[in-house]
Amino acid sequence: MLLSIITINKNNASGLDKTIQSVINQTFHDYEYIIIDGNSDDKSVKIIEQYRNKIDQVVSEPDKGIYDAMNKGLELATGKYCLFLNSGDYLFSNIVIDKIFQELKNEDIFYGNLYLDKNGNLEPFTYTKSLSINYLLENGIPHQATFIKRILFKSVGFYNTEFKIVSDWFWTLKCFVNQDVTYRHAEIFCSVIDISGISFDPENQLLIQNEKHSAKKMLFSKYMREYFKYSHELESENIMLKNNILYKFHKKVVFLKRWIYNNVSRIRFNKENLQNKDFTIICNNCIAGVIYHNFDLEFKSPTINLFFFSPDYIKFLENFEFYINQELNFVKKSKYFDEKPSYPIGLLFDIEVHFLHYTSEKEAYIKWNKRIDRINKNNLFIIGSDKDLCQFDHIERFDKLQFKNKIFFSAKNYPSLKSVIHIEKYNNRTEIGDLIERQEWLNYIDLITWLNTGKIKKYFLKKYLFRIIFD
């Protein structure tokens, strides 16, 4: 078994239902699902029974708190990796676990990003690529988006039940202090977390501070004198550094970096420089929506807030006129995975359209047909990427398409294919990462020049300037 997904719950039936659905609808199958319920007296047990045939192990009994319940889950787990996804939190998409295990290279700890659910509005929250003791002393990594080798819990120990809120943070800190662990961060949004949990409650912030102070004393008890001495010396060095001309220069560089970062999107989406405004972008993900939104243009493409699996997308493009004139129907199951999806799946004759960010079939149908009517067939721009079951054959076929303006983002370099833009950051991976959130694809092409002239103009300074700013 590759993965153990553990959910703990106490009287959160509605949140539990959402969590369970996000797990059992994954396209990834090599996992076991464990639910530890704290003897709930709401409808939680009924919810669990509703999905019982999809859940491998269930425990419903009183516990001594969150971390006692998490430890019970660990005792039952048999997977190589463990993921804690507690009730109210849910996996961001049905294919996200597949994405994780395509990226994971046997690291001890592998973590991604997440979204904060603020009354239905999803706010992205990203984490640092580089973990250090100094960072971990005050910060943590999200257990809802962290995949941990189960064997680590044997060497480091289970979660400390003396703490009510910070035990997962303490375990991670202890792990890095006492173990030579390997880790990696992925630019993948794994989960959506419920900010009504106890760690987000303002009334618990003092308790969190006190628990962290106690944890540090517990962990560093033998070395506290050296630790505080080092902190004092470091503070003195920082004071001296502020008076140094090098520090002043460093401040200017940091300021310049921040200024460029804050203004680069304005430069890339400068509406005054965009002459061609009546265009249609067809793409296999959400990039079209980003472009129209940033230029404040009407959506003149049906491929907004959705995605295609690569075999269907290539087929769609090769027979574009045929498919855009097909009636949009809907199916309950995908040919690419067995589980029931949490979003509408459209069907154009024989290809699937995955309306990932739509709430209903009705919404998807109305918006698809409204935007189909807006397509400017004389001014088409086609975008592809090597995601969602893409094979080399698909990239070759994309390059041979008759569309005049087309680009394809790839983790691998194919010099003979003129439409391919190599995203060098993902050199050692099978596919590119999430380009939408950080808009990394804009580091590799002058978007305005492409939309105005159709010419693929790459940034001369991208290898130096953009990597310094965004990496």
Side-chain angles (χ1 to χ4, degrees):
M1 189 67 63
L2 199 52
L3 176 64
S4 297
I5 303 176
I6 301 168
T7 293
I8 68 165
N9 173 74
K10 180 70 178 288
N11 292 330
N12 185 15
S14 60
L16 180 63
D17 185 66
K18 187 189 305 182
T19 304
I20 293 174
Q21 287 196 46
S22 79
V23 172
I24 64 177
N25 288 326
Q26 289 296 303
T27 56
F28 182 86
H29 299 293
D30 193 7
Y31 73 88
E32 63 179 356
Y33 192 25
I34 300 167
I35 294 182
I36 308 296
D37 177 68
N39 200 26
S40 296
D41 55 15
D42 64 351
K43 295 181 180 180
S44 293
V45 175
K46 187 176 180 181
I47 293 293
I48 293 170
E49 286 304 315
Q50 180 182 338
Y51 300 103
R52 189 62 184 85
N53 64 329
K54 299 289 183 70
I55 304 166
D56 295 279
Q57 299 203 58
V58 174
V59 173
S60 184
E61 62 185 21
D63 55 55
K64 299 174 184 177
I66 293 173
Y67 297 110
D68 180 42
M70 290 170 75
N71 288 341
K72 288 180 181 180
L74 286 171
E75 288 174 351
L76 296 173
T78 62
K80 182 178 180 181
Y81 286 88
C82 293
L83 170 69
F84 285 96
L85 189 74
N86 296 336
S87 63
D89 305 331
Y90 58 94
L91 296 167
F92 177 58
S93 73
N94 292 351
I95 60 174
V96 70
I97 302 294
D98 256 328
K99 287 184 177 181
I100 289 293
F101 279 93
Q102 287 174 15
E103 294 280 339
L104 202 155
K105 307 296 183 187
N106 202 41
E107 292 86 357
D108 296 323
I109 295 176
F110 189 84
Y111 63 103
N113 301 322
L114 47 76
Y115 286 101
L116 306 179
D117 187 347
K118 296 187 173 180
N119 298 320
N121 296 316
L122 301 188
E123 181 178 301
F125 198 96
T126 58
Y127 288 82
T128 181
K129 295 179 182 178
S130 179
L131 298 177
S132 65
I133 299 300
N134 282 338
Y135 174 85
L136 291 171
L137 280 169
E138 301 301 331
N139 306 284
I141 53 178
H143 66 75
Q144 304 92 338
T146 300
F147 297 76
I148 303 170
K149 274 189 178 176
R150 184 170 56 89
I151 196 171
L152 276 180
F153 290 99
K154 292 184 178 181
S155 56
V156 179
F158 282 10
Y159 293 113
N160 189 323
T161 56
E162 292 181 25
F163 301 119
K164 294 183 178 180
I165 302 179
V166 305
S167 195
D168 54 324
W169 162 83
F170 178 55
W171 184 92
T172 305
L173 178 61
K174 186 167 63 170
C175 187
F176 277 80
V177 169
N178 296 333
Q179 303 286 320
D180 186 17
V181 296
T182 60
Y183 71 91
R184 186 155 64 88
H185 173 254
E187 289 291 347
I188 297 173
F189 281 84
C190 299
S191 308
V192 180
I193 68 169
D194 179 7
I195 63 168
S196 65
I198 62 172
S199 60
F200 288 93
D201 190 338
E203 294 183 3
N204 289 327
Q205 296 311 302
L206 181 59
L207 177 59
I208 291 173
Q209 186 178 347
N210 290 336
E211 285 195 351
K212 282 190 172 184
H213 179 70
S214 298
K216 290 174 190 177
K217 286 181 67 177
M218 184 184 301
L219 185 58
F220 294 104
S221 57
K222 294 182 180 179
Y223 310 103
M224 283 303 289
R225 188 174 300 171
E226 289 82 2
Y227 172 73
F228 285 123
K229 180 180 178 183
Y230 168 75
S231 298
H232 178 72
E233 289 175 353
L234 187 62
E235 186 177 353
S236 299
E237 287 176 8
N238 285 336
I239 293 172
M240 292 175 62
L241 188 61
K242 287 181 181 179
N243 297 321
N244 190 297
I245 189 169
L246 185 62
Y247 174 76
K248 294 178 181 178
F249 175 74
H250 171 72
K251 277 188 67 176
K252 290 182 179 180
V253 171
V254 170
F255 174 80
L256 180 62
K257 248 178 111 170
R258 287 176 180 168
W259 184 89
I260 294 174
Y261 183 86
N262 291 332
N263 287 276
V264 72
S265 289
R266 273 183 251 165
I267 295 169
R268 290 160 169 174
F269 292 105
N270 189 329
K271 288 174 278 189
E272 295 179 2
N273 293 336
L274 183 67
Q275 300 163 1
N276 176 22
K277 298 184 180 180
D278 184 19
F279 56 82
T280 290
I281 293 177
I282 301 296
C283 65
N284 60 335
N285 52 39
C286 300
I287 286 180
V290 172
I291 294 173
Y292 286 118
H293 176 76
N294 280 283
F295 282 123
D296 290 332
L297 295 175
E298 182 181 44
F299 290 158
K300 295 187 177 181
S301 167
T303 58
I304 303 291
N305 292 333
L306 53 80
F307 76 93
F308 296 83
F309 279 94
S310 185
D312 280 356
Y313 185 56
I314 295 303
K315 201 172 180 180
F316 175 71
L317 294 176
E318 288 175 333
N319 304 276
F320 182 69
E321 192 68 32
F322 170 76
Y323 281 113
I324 63 172
N325 286 299
Q326 295 301 304
E327 177 70 15
L328 179 66
N329 296 303
F330 291 90
V331 293
K332 299 302 180 184
K333 284 182 64 175
S334 169
K335 61 187 174 184
Y336 293 105
F337 50 85
D338 296 329
E339 291 79 2
K340 182 180 177 181
S342 59
Y343 56 82
I345 298 180
L347 190 69
L348 293 172
F349 190 63
D350 60 348
I351 69 169
E352 294 180 359
V353 186
H354 290 253
F355 291 92
L356 183 61
H357 300 297
Y358 292 76
T359 58
S360 67
E361 293 179 359
K362 181 179 179 181
E363 180 194 13
Y365 182 85
I366 291 172
K367 290 186 177 179
W368 173 270
N369 286 293
K370 182 192 298 183
R371 291 164 183 169
I372 281 282
D373 293 338
R374 297 175 186 164
I375 291 177
N376 184 348
K377 296 178 184 177
N378 297 317
N379 199 11
L380 290 171
F381 290 80
I382 313 298
I383 299 176
S385 62
D386 61 357
K387 298 177 73 68
D388 302 312
L389 306 182
C390 181
Q391 304 293 325
F392 177 66
D393 170 63
H394 303 153
I395 305 175
E396 279 191 313
R397 287 161 61 189
F398 183 95
D399 197 63
K400 293 176 183 177
L401 292 170
Q402 296 303 306
F403 297 104
K404 180 182 177 182
N405 305 310
K406 59 182 183 291
I407 54 176
F408 190 96
F409 297 109
S410 170
K412 295 181 180 179
N413 192 18
Y414 300 106
S416 62
L417 305 182
K418 294 182 180 179
S419 64
V420 171
I421 294 179
H422 178 208
I423 308 295
E424 297 171 17
K425 176 177 178 179
Y426 301 104
N427 250 340
N428 299 320
R429 305 189 191 180
T430 56
E431 63 176 38
I432 57 176
D434 184 359
L435 301 185
I436 304 298
E437 181 57 37
R438 297 184 69 198
Q439 299 183 9
E440 291 169 321
W441 57 282
L442 288 169
N443 301 349
Y444 293 83
I445 183 173
D446 184 335
L447 178 63
I448 290 180
T449 296
W450 185 54
L451 292 174
N452 281 340
T453 68
K455 294 180 180 179
I456 301 175
K457 179 182 176 183
K458 298 182 180 180
Y459 281 110
F460 177 73
L461 292 177
K462 78 171 176 65
K463 287 187 178 179
Y464 309 101
L465 179 61
F466 287 115
R467 278 190 178 178
I468 290 170
I469 297 168
F470 292 100
D471 282 0

